[in-house]
Every structure is written in C-alpha cells, then in structure tokens.
C-alpha cells in the first residue's frame, strides 16, 4: 500500500499536478540551487515566500524527499555544514 502511494507522489499523472509531484519539486529545487548551496531550511523558506514562483507550498517532508531524489539520481550532493549543492 505504501509503495503505491509513493509511486503516485513521485511523478505527475492525471490526479496529481506537476507542482505537487516530487519530480516537479526536485526540478524546481535544483533551479534554486543554481545560485549556490542552501540548507533544507533555506530552501523551505524560499518555497514558502509569497513571491515564490512555485505554486504549491510543500512540507518539509516533501522537500526532504525531493532532495533525496536529487541525491539518488546524482544531481545533488551534501556539502559543508549540511548544505545541498548541485553537482557540477
């Protein structure tokens, strides 16, 4: 049951908007990291801002899963002081 729910959350489909999917969030987080490394708290603060261009307001759990997805595909790494960095 949990595996099926995770599959539904990872990629967009007819019942899930792209902005609510982990793949979509991971892609947007990667664009936020182009300006430099950030902590999870800094990323969440950027996503929660009123002027954020991302339409959804993800939870810390969703953000952590999106960053984990970036690690899993080799698009990000953990830098100094627990900062998330994009791979060069």
């Amino acid at each position: 049951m949990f595996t099926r729910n995770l599959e539904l959350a990872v990629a967009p489909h007819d019942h899930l908007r792209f902005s609510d999917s982990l793949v979509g969030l991971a892609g947007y987080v990667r664009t936020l990291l182009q300006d430099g490394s950030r902590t999870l708290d800094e990323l969440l603060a950027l996503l929660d801002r009123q002027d954020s261009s991302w339409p959804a307001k993800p939870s810390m759990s969703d953000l952590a899963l999106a960053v984990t997805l970036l690690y899993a595909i080799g698009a990000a790494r953990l830098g100094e002081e627990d900062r998330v960095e994009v791979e060069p």
Side-chain angles (χ1 to χ4, degrees), residues 39-62:
T39 64
L40 284 179
D41 289 329
E42 292 170 343
L43 289 168
L44 189 60
L46 286 172
L47 290 165
D48 282 341
R49 291 175 49 170
Q50 291 293 346
D51 61 348
S52 173
S53 61
W54 192 247
K57 299 296 180 206
S59 66
M60 179 59 91
S61 299
D62 292 339

Side-chain angles (χ1 to χ4, degrees), residues 11-17:
H13 53 83
D14 354 339
H15 301 291
L16 184 69
R17 296 179 310 166

